[in-house]
Amino acid sequence: MKRLSALTVVAYSVLFFLFAPLFIMIVSSFGENAAIQFPIEGFSLKWYVNAFSNQSFMDSFLLSLWIALSATLAAILVGVPAAYSLARHQYPFKSAIRDFFLSPTLIPGIVVGFSLFKFIVIQCQLDLLLGLFLGHFLISLPYVIRVVGSNLDQLDFSMEEAAWTLGASKIRTFIEIILPNIRSGIFASFMLAFINSFNNIPVSQFLSGPGVTLLPTQLMGYIEYNYDPTVSAISVLLMALTVVIMILIEKTLGLSKVM
């Protein structure tokens, strides 16, 4: 019992240190004072009004949303077939190819950001928007391959082979049998890739430019000169947005019926 009690205390301590900063941030976003403090003095929504009225924040938010969604969708379209191929077939250097796909998650973010800046902006001289899309696609792809690949490793491919025997084409079998059985993995990989892309700082910092700035970079610049609860308000809104997106995707994919 003493051991169980000690483990319980440790568990509650971990939960406290995980959620206390979030709780303080949420509460501080409703304070009246022009400083992030806890407990707050008075209740106000002016920091949320400030967040929505700041055109730079709105522009960078919409751009971040577009980049994250488009890059993540592209990663899904490329990553799911790639993960299927890696799980289903045997060919030379398979392990090396898998490691290559996952390499952006193993390399420090600042190295990835600088490398992409060197290649996309300096070497290829691509448009900043295209550069941001490609950069975020590359950092999103490993999450899709890793999560969907783990899902596929547990899948019984005898169903697919039975469908082939009955005359179904490989494309139809993939769409009607494989995809429905891995949609929970697709959902999880989408969320991980989207959140990582939307919140990414190193790649966004290196590939941003005049008039093309993503929200994390915009917030970093704002905090440098203004340390007020506007940042807390934006953080709360982003958490709420993440929850809404998760619910919408879950309802769209019908995961509540299969999980």
Side-chain angles (χ1 to χ4, degrees), residues 31 39 53 55 69 78 80 92 101 119 135 152 154 159 187 198 214 232 234 240 250 258:
S53 61
Q55 193 59 44
L69 283 174
V78 174
V80 171
F101 275 124
F119 178 75
L152 286 165
Q154 302 174 16
M159 299 182 295
F187 166 73
F198 193 92
L214 300 187
S232 296
I234 293 175
E250 181 177 340
V258 299

Side-chain angles (χ1 to χ4, degrees), residues 26-195:
I26 293 172
V27 173
S28 66
S29 69
F30 295 100
E32 281 189 343
N33 291 342
I36 300 177
Q37 64 179 42
F38 182 85
I40 60 174
E41 297 179 2
F43 179 86
S44 176
L45 294 174
K46 63 182 179 181
W47 307 114
Y48 288 89
V49 174
N50 187 42
F52 282 105
S53 61
N54 189 312
Q55 193 59 44
S56 297
F57 282 146
M58 293 304 298
D59 291 343
S60 60
F61 166 75
L62 292 174
L63 181 59
S64 292
L65 188 62
W66 182 85
I67 291 291
L69 283 174
S70 59
T72 303
L73 288 174
I76 292 290
L77 291 175
V78 174
V80 171
Y84 170 79
S85 179
L86 288 170
R88 192 71 175 89
H89 304 294
Q90 296 294 331
Y91 40 80
F93 309 110
K94 177 179 176 178
S95 179
I97 293 173
R98 185 191 295 269
D99 292 340
F100 174 77
F101 275 124
L102 300 179
S103 60
T105 61
L106 306 175
I107 302 172
I110 193 170
V111 176
V112 175
F114 178 74
S115 300
L116 291 173
F117 169 76
K118 184 74 173 176
F119 178 75
I120 293 175
V121 178
I122 303 299
Q123 191 69 33
C124 298
Q125 297 183 352
L126 296 179
D127 179 76
L128 286 177
L129 278 176
L130 179 58
L132 278 170
F133 168 77
L134 292 175
H136 281 254
F137 166 74
L138 290 175
I139 62 174
S140 300
L141 186 61
Y143 292 93
V144 178
I145 293 178
R146 183 186 294 273
V147 176
V148 175
S150 298
N151 228 215
L152 286 165
D153 288 338
Q154 302 174 16
L155 189 64
D156 183 6
F157 287 105
S158 61
M159 299 182 295
E160 182 185 50
E161 293 170 356
W164 292 347
T165 303
L166 294 173
S169 66
K170 291 188 175 182
I171 294 178
R172 182 180 178 183
T173 303
F174 180 76
I175 294 174
E176 296 185 5
I177 294 180
I178 300 298
L179 289 183
N181 281 282
I182 61 171
R183 54 183 170 180
S184 60
I186 295 175
F187 166 73
S189 65
F190 182 95
M191 289 308 306
L192 284 173
F194 174 82
I195 293 171

